Amino acid sequence: AALAGVVEYRNVTFAYPGAESPVLSNISFTARPGQTIAIIGSTGAGKTSLLSLLPRLYDPAEGQVLLDGVPVDRLDRAEITRRVALVPQRPYLFSGTIGHNLRFGKTEATDQELWDALLVAQGESFVREKKNGLDSRISQGGTNVSGGQRQRLCIARALVTKPRVYLFDDSFSALDVATDARLRAALKRTTSDATVIIVAQRISTITEADQILVLDNGRIVDRGTHEELLETSPTYQEIVES
Ligand code: M5T
Ligand code: MG
């Protein structure tokens, strides 16, 4: 189907403009609808850079990034935005109401759609507890919500657009382990046919992923399930033990 949401990176190498050496080298993987692919690796390994190539924040120097078999540089940006939601590592809330912030990607969303998204993102109760609910004001940069609330609002914002592909860049790090687990379970139920790519720091966030890519210095050094990597990957073992 045209809107399946298959993501493929094919021998992708990428350097930031003006940089001498690439931050990503020869990256290849496929993420299919229904799958969760996790990316783990130390700070500076290139995880954020890797995600940024799918919504074309940058284009690779070599290789291809494909969405449903089509190189993303041949797709319309609006088309990519419709299919792919990126929850960035430092998610941004702007001055306005919670409702405005949640409708950022889909202005015509109904209140019910916003509440449904909040329920999955584990943000329903704290919004409901506010006197003005969805009409509660967020200050510039979201300074009047906690880090974990901000993450949940930004996850809900992505859910509202009902994309085929979700990219979560460290989106669960400010949540406690129990909320993280509840959120991912709810996400799995509601997005069971979407493609999910999760960058995470915490091992517990990714143990159930269908495939984990271990990124080190811009390269995928190992890949497999949690159990497989525990057996085969010294780099993964180091991360688990740290
Ligand atoms: C990988 C450099 C960064 C690092 C390497 C986002 C960004 C990164 N870099 C730039 O030069 N410009 C940029 O705009 O690229 O960085 P990353 O992809 O951000 O790594 P990460 O996401 O694995 O790290 P972290 O800390 O989020 O776990 O050399 O300087
Ligand atoms: Mg990052």
Side-chain angles (χ1 to χ4, degrees), residues 44 46-49 89 169-170 199 201:
K47 305 180 295 294
T48 294
S49 306
Q89 192 165 12
D169 192 351
D170 211 8
V199 165
Q201 304 281 350

Side-chain angles (χ1 to χ4, degrees), residues 29-32 35-39 196-199 209-211 213:
F29 69 93
T30 304
R32 296 178 202 289
Q35 285 186 328
T36 298
I37 304 296
I39 301 167
V196 178
I197 303 180
I198 295 183
V199 165
D210 296 291
Q211 178 160 235
L213 311 177

Side-chain angles (χ1 to χ4, degrees), residues 1-8 29-37 54 66-69 83-84 163-166 187-188 190-197 210-211:
L3 289 174
V6 180
V7 173
E8 188 188 355
F29 69 93
T30 304
R32 296 178 202 289
Q35 285 186 328
T36 298
I37 304 296
L54 181 59
L66 304 106
L67 185 56
D68 294 325
R83 291 198 231 175
V84 179
R164 302 297 313 138
V165 181
Y166 289 90
L187 202 63
K188 187 121 198 126
T190 45
T191 65
S192 58
D193 59 350
T195 306
V196 178
I197 303 180
D210 296 291
Q211 178 160 235

Side-chain angles (χ1 to χ4, degrees), residues 91-102:
Y92 192 74
L93 296 172
F94 51 86
S95 158
T97 65
I98 289 178
H100 289 142
N101 272 277
L102 294 180

